[in-house]
Amino acid sequence: MRAKASPDTPPPPNRAQNACVNVPQHILDLLSFTPIAVDDLIRRCQFSASVVLIALTELELSGRITTSAGGHVALAGGQAETRG
């Protein structure tokens, strides 16, 4: 016979609880006006590459980030080039 879980025992963690993380906002928190490689961003935020790429696409379409041909992303509105 199985022992019943006490009502005070929290349920085991599951994937649904991880889905509560606001991925686009987490990514915005990691970005600045200085471009960063997408691969580095993926390593920093520790989400799967597909989840990060979807969030980056949404952020780019909403105008909150900019992307460069070299695979770098940055917050929109910053100066991406240095002048000297």
Side-chain angles (χ1 to χ4, degrees):
M1 186 180 264
R2 283 188 163 170
K4 292 184 180 180
S6 112
D8 296 329
T9 304
N14 60 30
R15 290 183 186 261
Q17 289 173 333
N18 293 335
C20 294
V21 174
N22 185 340
V23 176
Q25 185 58 53
H26 185 70
I27 289 172
L28 286 172
D29 292 342
L30 293 173
L31 291 176
S32 69
F33 295 116
T34 304
I36 181 176
V38 173
D39 290 341
D40 291 338
L41 179 64
I42 291 169
R43 279 190 287 277
R44 280 189 183 179
C45 66
Q46 299 180 353
F47 295 115
S48 69
S50 60
V51 168
V52 173
L53 293 174
I54 289 168
L56 289 175
T57 300
E58 292 171 357
L59 290 168
E60 184 178 14
L61 290 173
S62 69
R64 302 192 66 193
I65 65 167
T66 59
T67 60
S68 67
H72 288 74
V73 294
L75 293 175
Q79 295 295 323
E81 58 188 75
T82 57
R83 299 177 187 207

